Amino acid sequence: MRNHVEAGAKVITDGWQGYHGLEKLGYVHERRSQRAARTAGEDSGELLPAVHRVASLAKRWLLGTHQGAVENAHLTSYLDEFVFRFNRRHSQPWHGVLPGS
């Protein structure tokens, strides 16, 4: 966390125990538990909808594109490609001449 998130930032997570102690590291930690939301009669799917959607898309992309041949040693590269494609999903194809050519 310290390598990627600035101290003092608000960090929103699910209820996983591994996130406990973020306050001691200088973060504002807000937990969103699906179990607690269901118990309270709230829609648990609304807690972290984008996180669940992106995780689902990444899993489907990995399984579909790589046909189950995903290796831990290359996982970072696979996810870098997924992020690139995800971030460019609304980009228009470029058809033109490069400036200065």
Side-chain angles (χ1 to χ4, degrees):
M1 186 67 78
R2 290 181 191 171
N3 292 336
H4 300 287
V5 181
E6 186 175 329
K10 181 178 183 179
V11 179
I12 301 172
T13 68
D14 60 11
W16 183 54
Q17 297 293 324
Y19 296 123
H20 288 265
L22 286 176
E23 293 91 352
K24 293 177 186 174
L25 296 175
Y27 299 101
V28 177
H29 185 201
E30 181 181 328
R31 288 175 195 83
R32 295 188 178 175
S33 167
Q34 288 184 322
R35 183 178 300 148
R38 279 192 298 272
T39 301
E42 299 170 3
D43 182 2
S44 61
E46 291 298 316
L47 292 176
L48 298 169
V51 173
H52 295 292
R53 184 175 307 115
V54 170
S56 175
L57 288 171
K59 182 178 176 181
R60 185 172 28 167
W61 178 79
L62 277 170
L63 292 173
T65 301
H66 299 285
Q67 299 293 309
V70 176
E71 299 179 23
N72 286 341
H74 303 294
L75 188 57
T76 301
S77 296
Y78 301 144
L79 293 177
D80 284 345
E81 181 181 351
F82 171 79
V83 168
F84 174 80
R85 291 172 182 266
F86 183 83
N87 287 337
R88 295 194 38 96
R89 68 193 181 280
H90 297 299
S91 297
Q92 296 296 317
W94 184 75
H95 302 287
V97 177
L98 290 173
S101 56

